[in-house]
Amino acid sequence: MTLPTRTYAAFLFDMDGTILTSIASAERTWTKWAIAHGLDAATFVPTIHGVQSVETVRRLNLPGVDPVAEAAAITAAEMLDVGDIEPIAGAAAFLASLPPERWTIVTSAPRALAEVRLKAAGLPMPATMIAADDIPNGKPAPDCFLVAAERLGVTAADCLVFEDAAAGIAAGEAAGADVLVITATHSHGVAMSHPTIVDYRSVAVVIGADGLTLTHV
């Protein structure tokens, strides 16, 4: 495992699959929705991760389906299904070790759903969090990471993005940030051009006057 060696002004964390796992919850809800709309759930459900729900529905271009209304209904269903949501191993302690002004969450989930999932996982919600409601252009567009960095008073180029999904990785790259990929929820190995870690139990952060540096433990 090779970690980034430079020092960063801030860390930007995706949520689902990166600091917590809600994959089972999300896939249960989306599977029901897919079956109700005559879709092949086995083919469709793997495409939902890392992007805004409204964009997932919109790109299907289903006749007579309002993407905004459908996405709202899906979110409402997901908010009721949080029983098996849990943090990625070591995430709680790792986040707790960071200065609050040096990190935030950047998620494709609507804010209300993000709040419910973070609470279920026992993880903190930073005041500067960027959710789907805050950004008209979701991942893989870079907007979310650019705005998150701005809220922290830094540039995206001085940030390390923690991600797990292809859309988020692309968004981090487009924002000009470095990317570290969390593979805890990956069901099979994927060739990565970025450094990877399984979870947070093997890393710690050194806090210096000039920023944050990852190190092995």
Side-chain angles (χ1 to χ4, degrees), residues 112-144:
L113 178 58
E115 291 176 357
V116 167
R117 286 180 170 170
L118 287 166
K119 182 178 180 181
L123 296 175
M125 187 185 72
T128 50
M129 181 174 73
I130 297 291
D133 321 57
D134 303 310
I135 302 295
N137 301 311
K139 302 172 185 177
D143 308 37
C144 55

Side-chain angles (χ1 to χ4, degrees), residues 94-130:
F94 186 77
L95 294 177
S97 74
L98 302 176
E101 73 279 5
R102 293 280 190 172
W103 73 277
T104 196
I105 293 170
V106 185
T107 177
S108 293
R111 181 170 296 273
L113 178 58
E115 291 176 357
V116 167
R117 286 180 170 170
L118 287 166
K119 182 178 180 181
L123 296 175
M125 187 185 72
T128 50
M129 181 174 73
I130 297 291

Side-chain angles (χ1 to χ4, degrees), residues 157-184:
D158 284 328
C159 292
L160 179 63
V161 164
F162 292 70
E163 264 287 357
D164 74 302
I169 293 168
E173 291 171 343
D178 286 352
V179 177
L180 178 65
V181 180
I182 310 302
T183 64

